[in-house]
Amino acid sequence: MSVYEINRICYLVAHDDEFRGRLRTDPRRQLDEFALTEPERAALLAGDVRALYDRGAHPVLLVRLGTHRVLGLTPELYAERIRTARPGNGEQK
Amino acid sequence: MAELVAAAGVPHTPVFPALARGDSEQGRDIAARYAAVSGVLAEADADVVLVLTCDHINTFFLDAWPTFAVVAADSVTGPSDEVPGVERTELAAAGAVGKHLHERLLRQQFDPVLSQHCTVDHSISVPLHFLNPAGLPVVPVFVNGMVGPLPSAARCRAFGDAIRNAVADLPPMRVAVVASGSFSLEVGGPRMDRGKLYGIPDPGWAARVSEHLAAGRLDQLADEATTAQIERAGSVSGELLPWIAMAEAARDLPLSVLDHRPGEGHAFAAWS
């Protein structure tokens, strides 16, 4: 479980402009710098926010992947995908 | 001896400043609702404003996440996140008051984090945008309503009581206490409305909270604000906790404004 790392990536997306830029240009290489499990890495690269939420990523952090348009996400796509998650599954809430 | 002269609570929705500035019926409505609270605060002629709210994992991160935190700096920078129409700027802060508050809280068995340098997010910048046109120095105070496990409502009441005692102990000055946040709100989670990035999972709870606040029923409010109820009300509905602390700190002040509409997850309120 590296939920902490997923949350850290979401935090950096909002607060580190250079990181956000690198994540947009070369997401695979950028994610290599984090201690993620293979399923977590795959979920991030696929913009699978439902899977990330179900693993316990904090929704207030996770939503930044959509609002900051990284990992193939847009605010609209984020809103659509997260609706299929089960409320309360997040570990951090 | 300082005097607590006014208290208030408002939502801190990031789109409200831009909306209120715009020429629309909705914008004029929002502006008027904040203005009703702002008028009460202006009338009270405070020297310093304590702002009780929840950081949205911007000021602090999960590497060191505080349950309670007090800022003692002479200025803070915000908003550190997106608030359309509100430029990031330096806000005057009352460092000496923050330091006093922290020290007096320690004497009352509270051990908040002391921050001497930080940025603040929309939870501080939005209420100040509407309620502090004079730019009075502020003391940001953070309560964890965001990352479980949350402090209990009873603990937040006790925190408010300790703030009340700490204020009474300050050198002569006029102090206002402002809380910001919602009672029912989902941000980022599955209970957001279709096509939107927010939802109000439990408007009935928000109405009940508003009634309890209006009637000063803090015992009942704290009894009902269980972890399960807060969880049902949405991913950021722990923002009620700083409201509870504010209401306890201001328990002697009569109600001036309580503006909640059915279906909404928040309220606009003032006491003086």
Side-chain angles (χ1 to χ4, degrees), chain A residues 4 15 58 64 78 83 92, chain B residues 56 58 146 148 188 192 194:
Chain A
Y4 179 82
H15 289 285
H58 196 294
R64 297 173 192 178
Y78 181 94
R83 287 180 64 83
Q92 296 281 2
Chain B
H56 297 70
N58 288 307
M146 209 55 59
M192 297 190 293
R194 189 170 292 281

Side-chain angles (χ1 to χ4, degrees), chain A residues 4 13 25 28 32 49 52 54-55 61 71 73 86 88:
Chain A
Y4 179 82
V13 161
T25 27
R28 282 171 196 283
D32 279 346
V49 291
L52 297 169
D54 286 343
R55 279 175 181 274
L61 291 167
L71 300 165
L73 292 161
R86 204 153 51 82

